[in-house]
Every structure is written in C-alpha cells, then in structure tokens.
Amino acid sequence: MCGIIARIGHGDAADTLISGLENLEYRGYDSAGIAVQNGSGVKVHKCSGEVSRLKSNLDGQPHGNMGIGHTRWSTHGPPTDENAHPHTDTAGDVAVVHNGVIENYDELKDELRAKGHEFESDTDSEVIPHLIDEYRDETGDTEQAVRRAVDTLEGSYAIAAIVDGEEAVYAARKGSPLVLGLDDEEWYLASDVPAFLEHTDEVIYLEDGDIVVLDPDSYQISDLDGTPIERSIDTVDWDPEDAGKGEYDHYMLKEINNQPASLANTIEGRIEDGDVAFENLPPGSFDDIDTVQFVACGTSYHAAMYGAQLTREAGLRTEVLRASEYESTSGPVDENTLVIAVTQSGETADTLDAVRQATERGARSLAVTNVVGSTAAREADDAIYIRAGPEVGVAATKTYSSQAVTLALLTQRIAADVPEGTPADDRAGMLEALEELPQHVETVLETSGAEALARDVFDSKSYFFIGHGLGHSVALEGALKFKEITYEHAEGFAAGQLKHGPLALVTDETPVFAVSTGSDSDSKTKTNAIEAKSRGAPIVAVGPDDQSLVDVADAHLSVPDTHPVWAGLLANVQLQLLSYYAAKQLDRPIDKPRNLAKSVTVE
C-alpha cells in the first residue's frame, strides 16, 4: 500500500523526494519521511501525518544528491513518528524504505536482538536495515549484504536502501511493485510512475527477484545470484499534467470530469466496421472457452459484475468472484476456463493470488488493467489496457467507467468466438451508442443537479442505493463511493432484495437512490422504490428521463437517452458527483479518505 521514492544523480535530491511523495500520497498518508545521503552521514527526517506535515517540519532543505522517501499506510504498528519510514540500523548508517509485509519479522527481530541490535518501532520493516548492517559486518560488501538480507526475508517487499559513505541506492522487489525511471542525469525508483513522471517517461518495470544498484551515472539489474539481467525500457504515454489537480479543488473532481477523455481513449480503435476489435485478441481467440470467471476487489469488483451480467446475457456460463475468496468459492476450473482479472493498478495482491491459483489449475488468464507493465499484465496470458490515464484520487471514478466499457466490449468479443455465445441482437446499435458515450458523459457533467441534491439530502441517517440487472452493480458502486468519502452509512442492494430485510431500516430519513437503465428490468426497481416510498423514504430516480420510475420519485438525476447497456454508466457519473458534493459539504478529506489507500498490494 505504501509509496516509495528514491533518486540519485547530480544536483540536490530533497525537492524531488518530497514532490514524489506528494504524487504518491494516494498510496498511504499515515506518515512520511525521507533520508538523504550528503557525504556527512545519512540524514533522516520523518513524522506521522501527511507529507505536508513532513514538508513543513523540515528545518531547511536537507542536501544531498541521493536519497529515499516513503509515505505509509499502516499495517504493522500505528501511525507514529517512530513507525514512520525510513528505518535505520542501530548506528544509523543504513536507511531503508519498504512496501509489503515481512512475515518472519518476529523471528528475525529476536535473532537480531540477541546479537545486540536495538529496535525503536513496532514495524516489520525495521528488521531490514538491521539485517543489511549485520551482513555488511560479515561480508564487508553492501551489495552482498543486501542480497543476503532479501534472501532471508519471507513475504512481500519493495525495498530501497542507502548507506553512509556510499554513492549508491540499493533496491529489490518481490510481490510489491517497483519501477525504475531513467533520465539523462538522474535515476529514480518508485512504487508507481506518477512519482517521477514530471521528470521522465522512460521506465523499466522491475520483476520479482530483481536486485538493482544505482550510482550517479549508471544502473545495474541482476538476479539474487548476481547474474546480470536485461529489462526492456518502456515509454509511458501519460501526460505529466494528468497526474496533477490543475484547476480543480480535488483529484476526484478532476477525474470525474476527465471521463469524456478517458472513455474516448478506452474506446479508440476498438470498434471497426460495426464490430469489436482488440489489437492482440483477433477473432477466434476464445473459441475453446466454455466458462468465464471474473475476479476482482472493491470498485473493480463492481466493474466485473457489470461485465459478468453482459457475459451471462450473451449465453456464457459466468461467475464473478471476490479475489480474496477465490480459493474457497471458485469451483471447478480447467483449461476451458477463462479467468478475467480486473485490477486498476495491476498490483492488487488478492487478485494476483487468484490468478496464480487459477493458472496452477490449468485456466487461461486475462488481465484488464490500467497500468502497462504491471504484475497482472506480465503474469496473465493476455492483457487488455483500459487506457484511462493516471488516477490519483483514492476513490476510483474514471477507472470504473473505463473498466466497465472495456469488459462490455470484451464480452462481445468472447460471445462471437464461443459456439454457445450469442452476441447482442442489437450489437450494432449498442456499439453506435458507445461511440456517443463520451459526449453523453459531458452532458451529465454540464447539467447535473447532484450538487443541489447533496444539500437537500444532507443530514439523513442512511442512504440506500438500489438497481436491477446492470443497475445493480451501479447501485453497489454508488453506495461504495458514498461511504468511502462521506463516512456516512450507505448500502447498495439488488432492488428485489430490499423487501427481504433491508426495508426494516427504511424511514423518512433514508433517501433511496433508484438506478434505471431504460431496460425491462426497471420495473422491478420501480416496484421496490414504491414500497420504500410508502414507508416514508424520499426516492431519487437516477437514469433516463422517459422512465416510469421518474413519475414516482421525489427527485431525479437525469442522464441522456442511450442504449440500456450504457445508461447505467451515465447514472454512475451522477452518483459520483453526488458523493463528491456530499463529502465536500461535510468537509471530508475527499482525496484521502481515512483508513484507505489506492492500491492494496498486501493481503
């Protein structure tokens, strides 16, 4: 979950480290710190709280041409000054930042204490600098000490380390992301590209088992045994301005408003002559598939539900499974099973584990992700990129829309290949309407009444979101967004389930947001909305204007008339705006909701 940044080169490193941490704060903001090597020792500055607190606490800029930084999402130990990274050995000569979980840290800590090492934090990470120090004493060589240290660790890690008196940064990864950025006069290491995107777009995505040594003029990548490794250099096609807030108060609002552009990127080149086209999945790619499994977590799970609904409608045997529960819920899997892993970052630990389990059982895997070179993209048999651009707000917005559209297109590709598949009867109309989706989202953004409605429903006790068919996953996603950033109680339900228990919670202080898509299934949503209304609940219709649901609602968040497959995604934009303006009214930290981080890279 945490964010790592390292930099070495010519000139001062501190400003780059701080700006990199600011760009990575979506990965964690419980505490932050930097360590700089300046020829007179390793200087560590760290504190609990956000990066802004660290920045204000610095007594002048610490100087040095190399350093490491970290912004933390707590796993072992509370967010205190002592638990903040970087951590050092007893003498303060070795400084380390770490993302991941060290599973054998208790055992290692006991062994190191017996040898005289003293610990100051509750974290698992602190054992790493002590191990490096111990092995430096034994070998007299820092690089060998780093190799021995990581070989001793059990669990997951991305590590960057600096050592007093040495002009080098040492790094390693296993199970946690780490990317190397290449510039003319300096090198970078980070958990994610936005950390250094303003400086370079040339990157190397490191892989598990890679050991990296950087000096001011070169970099070397090798395996644990020291054998040199060549890794390809990729060019990131994200605009550095996409990673900033620009004129907006919050990243979330910027990313909501960025959806017309991100959806246009998602769709570009994928509709040809009235049919679906994926650059690396030609017709016939799925002709041996008889079962499709979607695995995902959080918002990606809701996008997977959207895709799974369309896959079922296309006549395929389909499951959508929470990645964290895959081992116990997946059922039979064989070589005719396609496992579609939906993960924005491509680094979600539970989703990666599910893919690995499926692969071991003979299934074919396909990653649907936003990040080129991510672990999911590398490990899956195939990958499709949603092309949404960088998303910094912790509450996912534009990536959900791009995931859902990508999965809807993928469903049509699979249905056309599989003998049992039945592509949508009105596929031409569906694809034609898709090309209008970016403009329809623009219309929602320009005309939305969500801000005023957020004021009207302020101070309610609970907020319910209901929908049927494709509207169900949108209702769940709407409730998730609302609770994530407002901290208010919100729940999403399949419309027909409201009367099977949740209706007991409905009062005149429980607004019910009813999602419609313009399909026949809206009748179920209307029936249940009427039942809630009869118990005093205010009803808000979210969907096209010409639906009968509007007639029974107390308020309406309108979307342009479009194909039912896409109407739910327009309704979702309205619900994103509702959540945003409600959270703003409550003065919540919208981009950094408490206890949450953007990319869940630990199980």
Side-chain angles (χ1 to χ4, degrees):
M1 304 276 222
C2 309
I4 287 174
I5 177 73
R7 182 267 190 197
I8 186 169
H10 303 282
D12 195 64
D15 284 342
T16 303
L17 295 175
I18 292 296
S19 65
L21 291 181
E22 289 174 329
N23 292 339
L24 286 174
E25 205 165 11
Y26 61 88
R27 298 182 66 89
Y29 32 88
D30 290 343
S31 59
I34 63 172
V36 174
Q37 161 72 281
N38 61 7
S40 60
V42 173
K43 306 298 183 183
V44 175
H45 305 262
K46 62 181 184 176
C47 64
S48 61
E50 299 181 0
V51 175
S52 58
R53 182 171 182 233
L54 170 68
K55 192 174 182 178
S56 64
N57 286 350
L58 291 175
D59 184 15
Q61 288 286 9
H63 296 292
N65 73 318
M66 54 178 285
I68 55 178
H70 188 273
T71 180
R72 182 172 184 246
W73 187 83
S74 304
T75 53
H76 293 74
T80 63
D81 291 354
E82 293 78 14
N83 289 336
H85 297 220
H87 291 294
T88 64
D89 65 320
T90 304
D93 294 335
V94 181
V96 170
V97 292
H98 164 236
N99 178 22
V101 174
I102 306 304
E103 296 172 357
N104 60 336
Y105 81 99
D106 276 332
E107 172 189 339
L108 293 173
K109 189 175 282 190
D110 288 343
E111 293 175 0
L112 289 163
R113 277 189 175 128
K115 295 179 179 180
H117 292 262
E118 298 176 0
F119 292 85
E120 298 181 352
S121 79
D122 303 315
T123 70
D124 56 333
S125 307
E126 195 182 359
V127 300
I128 303 170
H130 288 271
L131 279 174
I132 294 173
D133 176 59
E134 181 70 21
Y135 293 140
R136 283 179 75 229
D137 287 345
E138 293 182 15
T139 66
D141 182 271
T142 299
E143 184 176 340
Q144 289 304 313
V146 170
R147 294 182 189 281
R148 285 188 61 182
V150 299
D151 192 37
T152 305
L153 301 176
E154 297 176 5
S156 61
Y157 53 77
I159 296 166
I162 58 174
V163 177
D164 182 25
E166 298 186 20
E167 276 204 305
V169 175
Y170 302 90
R173 77 152 278 179
K174 176 188 173 185
S176 290
L178 198 60
V179 58
L180 172 62
L182 312 176
D183 200 5
D184 292 337
E185 296 186 349
E186 51 197 7
W187 317 117
Y188 305 90
L189 285 161
S191 301
D192 206 351
V193 171
F196 53 72
L197 187 57
E198 63 194 274
H199 301 286
T200 181
D201 60 0
E202 298 293 314
V203 303
I204 295 175
Y205 294 99
L206 300 172
E207 300 188 16
D208 281 357
D210 285 357
I211 307 290
V212 183
V213 181
L214 310 178
D215 63 41
D217 300 306
S218 65
Y219 67 89
Q220 299 86 39
I221 305 173
S222 59
D223 64 17
L224 192 61
D225 295 326
T227 304
I229 296 173
E230 292 290 331
R231 295 276 182 239
S232 62
I233 299 175
D234 292 314
T235 300
V236 178
D237 61 0
W238 292 350
D239 187 328
E241 292 187 4
D242 289 344
K245 282 190 290 191
E247 63 186 21
Y248 295 94
D249 292 336
H250 298 93
Y251 284 107
M252 183 180 180
L253 185 60
K254 176 189 175 182
E255 288 155 3
I256 291 172
N257 279 273
N258 186 237
Q259 285 175 109
S262 60
L263 285 168
N265 289 338
T266 299
I267 298 164
E268 184 179 6
R270 290 175 170 171
I271 303 174
E272 293 181 357
D273 300 324
D275 204 352
V276 175
F278 284 107
E279 52 274 21
N280 58 341
L281 295 171
S285 295
F286 302 104
D287 55 9
D288 58 346
I289 297 300
D290 60 24
T291 302
V292 178
Q293 293 183 337
F294 292 85
V295 294
C297 302
T299 287
S300 294
Y301 178 81
H302 297 151
M305 287 181 65
Y306 206 92
Q309 177 69 25
L310 293 171
T311 309
R312 292 189 196 98
E313 291 176 4
L316 282 75
R317 190 163 53 196
T318 306
E319 299 176 286
V320 56
L321 305 166
R322 287 182 170 83
S324 58
E325 305 299 320
Y326 185 79
E327 184 175 8
S328 59
T329 61
S330 59
V333 173
D334 58 27
E335 67 274 8
N336 300 121
T337 304
L338 175 66
V339 174
I340 301 174
V342 188
T343 161
Q344 183 274 135
S345 67
E347 305 293 347
T348 308
D350 290 331
T351 304
L352 292 172
D353 188 55
V355 170
R356 290 162 185 157
Q357 291 179 45
T359 299
E360 289 176 0
R361 295 160 67 183
R364 179 178 169 186
S365 59
L366 189 157
V368 175
T369 182
N370 197 35
V371 182
V372 176
S374 61
T375 302
R378 292 197 309 270
E379 292 193 5
D381 296 314
D382 298 288
I384 296 175
Y385 298 105
I386 66 173
R387 305 191 302 212
E391 185 177 68
V392 177
V394 169
T397 52
K398 66 178 183 176
T399 52
Y400 170 81
S401 299
S402 289
Q403 284 173 333
V405 166
T406 301
L407 293 173
L409 289 172
L410 178 61
T411 293
Q412 296 305 303
R413 169 75 278 141
I414 296 171
D417 289 348
V418 176
E420 298 81 6
T422 54
D425 293 336
D426 59 345
R427 180 163 63 164
M430 183 183 84
L431 296 179
E432 183 178 344
L434 175 58
E435 294 186 290
E436 298 177 344
L437 184 63
Q439 182 56 53
H440 284 158
V441 172
E442 190 71 53
T443 299
V444 171
L445 295 170
E446 292 173 352
T447 62
S448 176
E451 184 172 9
L453 183 62
R455 291 193 296 268
D456 291 342
V457 300
F458 175 69
D459 207 26
S460 298
K461 286 188 176 180
S462 293
Y463 301 83
F464 283 4
F465 298 74
I466 63 172
H468 186 72
L470 290 172
H472 178 209
S473 57
V474 173
L476 294 179
E477 176 60 14
L480 177 62
K481 282 294 148 289
F482 202 89
K483 71 181 74 174
E484 279 181 321
I485 64 170
T486 69
Y487 308 160
E488 298 295 300
H489 178 244
E491 296 294 339
F493 304 100
Q497 290 301 307
L498 196 62
K499 57 183 173 289
H500 294 286
L503 198 60
L505 301 175
V506 169
T507 71
D508 58 0
E509 295 183 277
T510 312
V512 175
F513 298 87
V515 177
S516 62
T517 62
S519 67
D520 293 340
S521 66
D522 288 345
S523 61
K524 291 183 180 293
T525 305
K526 178 182 177 180
T527 298
N528 286 273
I530 292 172
E531 290 181 351
K533 186 179 179 71
S534 70
R535 273 76 176 176
I539 305 299
V540 180
V542 189
D545 292 338
D546 60 353
Q547 299 307 305
S548 60
L549 181 60
V550 176
D551 297 334
V552 303
D554 300 288
H556 180 210
L557 291 175
S558 175
V559 307
D561 186 38
T562 187
H563 193 282
V565 168
W566 313 122
L569 300 185
L570 297 174
N572 177 66
V573 176
Q574 288 281 25
L575 296 178
Q576 291 172 350
L577 290 168
L578 175 78
S579 298
Y580 173 81
Y581 286 116
K584 188 175 182 181
Q585 185 166 286
L586 292 164
D587 197 28
R588 305 302 193 208
I590 291 172
D591 288 331
K592 302 169 186 176
R594 66 187 179 202
N595 304 331
L596 302 179
K598 181 74 174 168
S599 181
V600 185
T601 59
V602 295
E603 295 183 25

